[in-house]
Amino acid sequence: VLPQIEHTEQLMAQFSQGQRGTLRIGMECHPCYQWLLKVVSPYLNQWPHVDVDVKQKFQFGGMGALFSYDIDALVTPDPLYKRGLVYTPVFDYELVLVVNNTHPLASEPHIKPEHLSDEILITYPVEIDRLDIFSQFLIPAKCSPKKHKTIETTDIILQMVASNRGVAAMPRWLAEQYEETLPISSISLGENGIDKQIFIGVREADLTIDYVENFLEIAKSASEIS
């Protein structure tokens, strides 16, 4: 109860100072910052008295941060549904394998799990059971990469791939942006590919707050990523 009381007191103080509030956005999607910028810019223009803060790491995870009122919205590809939270899908994407243009896998029509048995797989530092390349592709086929490395930043991951230091799983829209400047290629994972969605989770009680509702609307309208 205490975090809710503190949250209410903060809102009341902001209203008394002529502000509307602060929208605190938590990120469980490492490569989504470029997309978030497309959302935040028009949002700030529409809500001049609402501040935006972005938080990437949580002591108890994103869902816990929502429940504890540490954040007001959670951007995640893997929603954990609990009573009191509502998740809105905001865009679809395909998860692909990114390799150097000269890599033998670059000529494959699609990637099979066994193709990664001799590869260094680079991912973001996320638990394996929440990495789709493992949970939806490698583990069901009882395969594993030769080595698994973790790197926090998208730029460094793709620079490593461009230098033939490993392969990485990325959203196709993000990989294609880097293909303009780096010698990398994107290949579908499996014959049918791996389709994913990005969701924004908020507390159900906050859906009546106008600037929260509008954030969801703008996020959905920014689904065309270029």
Side-chain angles (χ1 to χ4, degrees):
V1 175
L2 288 176
Q4 298 182 37
I5 294 175
E6 292 174 359
H7 180 62
T8 302
E9 288 177 344
Q10 291 173 1
L11 290 177
M12 295 301 293
Q14 290 165 346
F15 276 117
S16 68
Q17 296 168 11
Q19 301 175 358
R20 291 302 307 274
T22 299
L23 183 67
R24 298 161 301 171
I25 305 167
M27 300 288 290
E28 281 189 343
C29 175
H30 283 74
C32 287
Y33 282 100
Q34 287 90 334
W35 167 80
L36 186 61
L37 290 175
K38 294 182 63 176
V39 178
V40 169
S41 179
Y43 180 78
L44 291 174
N45 289 334
Q46 290 194 32
W47 297 93
H49 300 297
V50 175
D51 290 334
V52 170
D53 186 17
V54 178
K55 301 177 183 293
Q56 184 176 359
K57 295 181 179 179
F58 316 103
Q59 187 175 357
F60 302 107
M63 186 180 69
L66 271 176
F67 274 121
S68 64
Y69 285 75
D70 292 324
I71 59 174
D72 306 302
L74 176 66
V75 180
T76 178
D78 301 300
L80 297 174
Y81 292 94
K82 295 288 184 180
R83 172 179 279 185
L85 300 182
V86 176
Y87 290 93
T88 301
V90 289
F91 71 84
D92 304 327
Y93 68 94
E94 181 189 2
L95 186 72
V96 296
L97 190 75
V98 186
V99 302
N100 181 279
N101 286 340
T102 63
H103 195 288
L105 293 178
S107 60
E108 293 289 338
H110 61 268
I111 301 299
K112 300 176 182 178
E114 54 268 26
H115 282 151
L116 299 183
S117 298
D118 294 323
E119 301 297 333
I120 298 173
L121 177 62
I122 306 171
T123 74
Y124 296 105
V126 178
E127 297 88 346
I128 283 181
D129 59 356
R130 299 196 70 187
L131 286 169
D132 297 303
I133 185 69
F134 281 95
S135 63
Q136 295 194 38
F137 191 67
L138 291 172
I139 292 176
K142 298 181 180 180
C143 292
S144 61
K146 180 175 71 173
K147 186 175 181 180
H148 177 209
K149 297 179 64 174
T150 61
I151 297 176
E152 289 194 5
T153 60
T154 301
D155 286 336
I156 300 301
I157 290 176
L158 292 178
Q159 287 288 347
M160 292 285 283
V161 172
S163 299
N164 251 333
R165 304 289 183 89
V167 300
M170 289 275 172
R172 184 180 290 278
W173 63 265
L174 181 60
E176 287 179 346
Q177 290 181 0
Y178 283 83
E179 286 174 9
E180 299 175 3
T181 56
L182 294 176
I184 57 175
S185 300
S186 305
I187 311 112
S188 292
L189 290 162
E191 190 173 356
N192 299 319
I194 297 179
D195 294 323
K196 292 286 295 179
Q197 285 183 306
I198 290 298
F199 297 80
I200 296 180
V202 299
R203 292 178 292 272
E204 187 174 7
D206 289 350
L207 288 174
T208 57
I209 300 176
D210 51 4
Y211 62 82
V212 173
E213 180 184 20
N214 189 241
F215 176 73
L216 296 175
E217 293 173 355
I218 293 176
K220 285 187 287 186
S221 70
S223 61
E224 286 296 322
I225 304 171
S226 58

